[in-house]
Amino acid sequence: MMASVRAAKQALRADLKKRLSALSSEEKIRQSQAVTQKILSHSRYQTAQRVAIFLNMQDEIQTGDIIDDIFKQGKICFIPRYKPRSNHMDMVRLSSVQEIQQLPMTSWNIRQPSEEDSREEALSTGGLDLMLVPGLGFDKEGHRLGRGKGYYDTFLEKYNQLHVGQPYTIALAFQEQLCESIPVSENDFAIDEIICAGDLDVLKN
């Protein structure tokens, strides 16, 4: 990656983290509820059977109610399992809402199945219909700024190699995460759609 792009990403990450830290808990809940309602009524969500979703961090849209609905609707739920000190991530099957609290906590303060926990992996058993994606920032072109590890870009690249076509990708965002422009490099995948609490949703295609 060019040094200038890397530096621009680092500067934008710092700015976005400040924006997110200024959000109150009440505002995060309000926006999360609005985003949840949009997702549950979205045609892509309603028709998807195999859905990947993230267990949210403190500064991300809260995903608990969406996960509840995935199981309520009888869909198959996959969550990320990040491999430490690498850019490798698997999407592994979650068997119930209740088991989330039993999952080990990572150094990032995210619960995920351990490496020794043998689970169905989405790439090995038919892929995904829909991926609900986190990130730090997004722009109107569908560009996404992650936290610098490259997990989602690497996963989507691998998905591309193993499957025909990609899952439909929707980013879940606070309004404060929308940017005029995101610096990108050639390895960065664009997101199909960005959904936030207000009227600023982005549909790339």
Side-chain angles (χ1 to χ4, degrees):
M1 189 194 303
M2 288 171 53
S4 58
V5 173
R6 190 180 298 117
K9 286 186 174 187
Q10 289 294 79
L12 186 53
R13 280 191 189 102
D15 178 54
L16 285 161
K17 285 176 181 175
K18 280 183 193 169
R19 290 191 217 174
L20 290 169
S21 67
L23 280 178
S24 67
S25 298
E26 293 75 19
E27 181 61 12
K28 288 178 188 173
I29 291 170
R30 186 192 72 77
Q31 290 199 40
S32 293
Q33 288 173 339
V35 168
T36 296
Q37 289 311 307
K38 287 187 180 185
I39 289 294
L40 299 192
S41 62
H42 197 293
S43 61
R44 291 279 187 171
Y45 172 77
Q46 291 177 345
T47 58
Q49 276 306 301
R50 295 166 65 86
V51 180
I53 190 167
F54 55 98
L55 303 182
N56 65 277
M57 296 169 64
Q58 286 293 322
D59 59 355
E60 293 172 336
I61 290 288
Q62 296 170 14
T63 57
D65 288 345
I66 301 173
I67 295 171
D68 285 346
D69 193 76
I70 290 172
F71 284 99
K72 183 179 167 189
Q73 301 298 331
K75 302 176 188 292
I76 302 173
C77 184
F78 294 89
I79 59 171
R81 178 162 61 191
Y82 306 98
K83 194 167 186 177
R85 296 174 296 282
S86 79
N87 60 4
H88 182 82
M89 173 182 78
D90 291 315
M91 284 292 176
V92 296
R93 187 167 178 173
L94 186 67
S95 60
S96 71
V97 174
Q98 291 72 28
E99 77 160 324
I100 292 173
Q101 291 308 314
Q102 273 75 58
L103 296 176
M105 193 78 80
T106 69
S107 59
W108 280 27
N109 235 17
I110 306 172
R111 292 188 183 276
Q112 70 173 30
S114 68
E115 285 293 317
E116 297 74 37
D117 186 348
S118 181
R119 289 176 182 253
E120 176 184 340
E121 293 182 17
L123 285 181
S124 306
T125 59
L128 294 162
D129 301 319
L130 175 66
M131 273 184 77
L132 302 177
V133 180
L136 271 178
F138 310 93
D139 69 17
K140 61 184 182 296
E141 303 299 321
H143 297 137
R144 167 184 174 273
L145 181 70
R147 294 174 189 271
K149 300 291 187 183
Y151 287 119
Y152 277 84
D153 294 316
T154 304
F155 177 85
L156 287 168
E157 183 182 354
K158 187 178 176 187
Y159 193 107
N160 225 12
Q161 294 165 359
L162 295 175
H163 293 269
V164 177
Q166 293 275 7
Y168 194 77
T169 51
I170 301 179
L172 311 184
F174 295 112
Q175 288 170 278
E176 289 75 9
Q177 291 178 281
L178 297 181
C179 305
E180 271 300 307
S181 173
I182 298 281
V184 293
S185 57
E186 59 184 18
N187 297 325
D188 293 335
F189 276 81
I191 301 299
D192 292 308
E193 192 169 349
I194 298 151
I195 286 184
C196 65
D199 298 322
L200 302 171
D201 298 339
V202 175
L203 182 61
K204 182 169 68 81
N205 299 321

